[in-house]
Amino acid sequence: LSETIMSSNVARNSYKLFVGNLPWTISSKELKSYFSRFGHVANAEVVFDKQLGLSKYYGFVIFSQRDAFNSASNQNTHFLEGRVLNVQRA
C-alpha cells in the first residue's frame, strides 16, 4: 500500500506548474477553475503572505494527467483577468 501511495505522489508532483503574475483578486478556486479547461486539476493553490493575508501573485497547479499538464504547459499565452500569466513547469 505505501508503495502505491509513494508512486502516485511522485507522478502527481511531475505534473506541477508554477503560475506567476497572478492578479491579486485570484483565489485558489479561480486558479483551479481556469486550469480545469485543460483537464482534471488535482490541486491549485495561490500563495499568500500569512501575516498580511495578501496574495504573493503566484501559485501552483497540479494536474492528475500528463495530457492536461502538457496542454497547459505548451500553450503559449495564458490570460486571467486581463493579465498574461507566467506559466512554467515546476
Side-chain angles (χ1 to χ4, degrees):
L1 177 67
S2 63
E3 200 173 296
T4 306
I5 293 168
M6 297 261 304
S7 65
S8 70
N9 284 340
V10 169
R12 224 179 310 154
N13 288 337
S14 65
Y15 305 137
K16 186 174 187 178
L17 291 178
F18 165 85
V19 184
N21 199 37
L22 286 172
W24 68 274
T25 53
I26 295 300
S27 68
S28 297
K29 183 179 174 185
E30 290 160 321
L31 186 63
K32 183 174 185 173
S33 175
Y34 172 81
F35 280 96
S36 290
R37 71 186 67 190
F38 299 101
H40 182 260
V41 174
N43 189 35
E45 192 171 336
V46 175
V47 177
F48 283 87
D49 181 308
K50 287 181 176 42
Q51 289 182 320
L52 300 175
L54 300 173
S55 171
K56 289 194 167 190
Y57 308 104
Y58 71 92
F60 296 93
V61 175
I62 300 173
F63 289 96
S64 53
Q65 293 126 353
R66 184 187 331 214
D67 290 347
F69 170 77
N70 286 335
S71 295
S73 59
N74 291 334
Q75 181 169 308
N76 290 332
T77 311
H78 292 274
F79 286 101
L80 195 52
E81 291 193 1
R83 290 181 83 158
V84 177
L85 304 180
N86 172 12
V87 177
Q88 300 172 26
R89 292 173 186 233

